[in-house]
């Protein structure tokens, strides 16, 4: 669902409205993120893995299919569903910031019901603020920034920065290939220490 300039305005608006539903309802965001992770799943998988009642699972899946962010990949019973790729860039109402809605951001929004730090951050800074925090969380996991730099850049307390960075850490590691690079650095440090001891 990546947006390009040759798309009709009506299509872009419809796609935005579909994605807006995901950002407004954490349960839908959680289901979308689950399907994005799994690749394909049945409603029974959704019920089992997300612990949803049958009626709720069918309702949520159908809403995502109707919104155009989930596709039916197999019409045979049981039907299988898969998340469509989302990459939609949005400009804030004030026009001062742009952010991209990605599966990682939708996953982070989906965690707001189970993670008080994410919930509080969205309440205070909105989804646009969460998108910015996610960018810092990625950079932090790559060793490019600290929580203090984020706090200074965004004019928030260092504690608030650290709390949201910690809350977003699992999202970053689930959606970005960062851990392998970090593991290599740690292995070098361990090997280096071992060589000195020998």
């Amino acid at each position: 669902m990546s947006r390009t300039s040759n798309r009709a305005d009506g299509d872009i608006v419809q796609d935005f409205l579909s994605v807006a539903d995901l950002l407004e309802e954490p349960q839908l965001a959680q289901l979308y993120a689950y399907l994005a992770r799994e690749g394909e799943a049945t409603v029974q998988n959704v019920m089992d893995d997300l612990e949803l009642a049958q009626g709720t699972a069918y309702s949520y899946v159908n809403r995502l299919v109707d919104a155009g962010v989930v596709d039916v990949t197999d019409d045979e019973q049981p039907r299988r569903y898969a998340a469509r790729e989302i990459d939609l860039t949005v400009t804030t109402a004030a026009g001062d910031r742009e952010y991209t809605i990605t599966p990682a951001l939708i996953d982070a929004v989906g965690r707001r019901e189970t993670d008080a730090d994410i919930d509080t951050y969205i309440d205070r800074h909105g989804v646009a603020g969460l998108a910015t925090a996610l960018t810092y969380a990625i950079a932090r996991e790559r060793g490019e920034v600290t929580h203090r730099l984020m706090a200074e850049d965004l004019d928030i307390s260092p504690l608030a920065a650290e709390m949201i960075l910690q809350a977003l850490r699992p999202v970053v590691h689930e959606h970005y290939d960062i851990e392998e690079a970090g593991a290599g650095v740690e292995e070098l440090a361990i090997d280096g220490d071992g060589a000195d001891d020998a």
Side-chain angles (χ1 to χ4, degrees), residues 42 72-81:
T42 65
V72 178
T73 59
D74 187 354
D75 274 331
E76 298 293 319
Q77 295 297 332
R79 286 190 174 136
R80 300 188 70 73
Y81 301 89

Side-chain angles (χ1 to χ4, degrees), residues 30-153:
Q30 183 183 40
L31 175 55
Y32 174 85
Y34 168 79
L35 291 171
R37 274 192 309 274
E38 295 298 313
E40 283 189 349
T42 65
V43 172
Q44 185 64 51
N45 298 137
V46 169
M47 291 165 46
D48 294 344
D49 295 342
L50 298 182
E51 298 179 3
L52 294 175
Q54 183 177 6
T56 303
Y58 274 103
S59 173
Y60 286 175
V61 168
N62 288 334
R63 285 181 64 192
L64 293 180
V65 169
D66 290 345
V69 295
V70 166
D71 292 323
V72 178
T73 59
D74 187 354
D75 274 331
E76 298 293 319
Q77 295 297 332
R79 286 190 174 136
R80 300 188 70 73
Y81 301 89
R84 291 180 65 201
E85 181 68 28
I86 294 175
D87 186 2
L88 182 66
T89 300
V90 178
T91 304
T92 59
D96 58 347
R97 276 193 304 189
E98 253 188 19
Y99 66 97
T100 302
I101 300 169
T102 62
L105 178 60
I106 293 168
D107 186 5
V109 169
R111 295 174 191 232
R112 88 178 286 182
E113 288 195 337
T114 57
D115 190 308
D117 293 330
I118 290 175
D119 187 48
T120 300
Y121 201 86
I122 292 173
D123 284 345
R124 291 183 182 160
H125 305 283
V127 173
L130 185 67
T132 301
L134 183 58
T135 301
Y136 277 94
I138 295 164
R140 156 95 170 249
E141 293 305 305
R142 291 180 175 154
E144 299 167 358
V145 299
T146 65
H147 72 286
R148 292 192 183 282
L149 181 60
M150 176 185 170
E152 185 178 314
D153 288 352

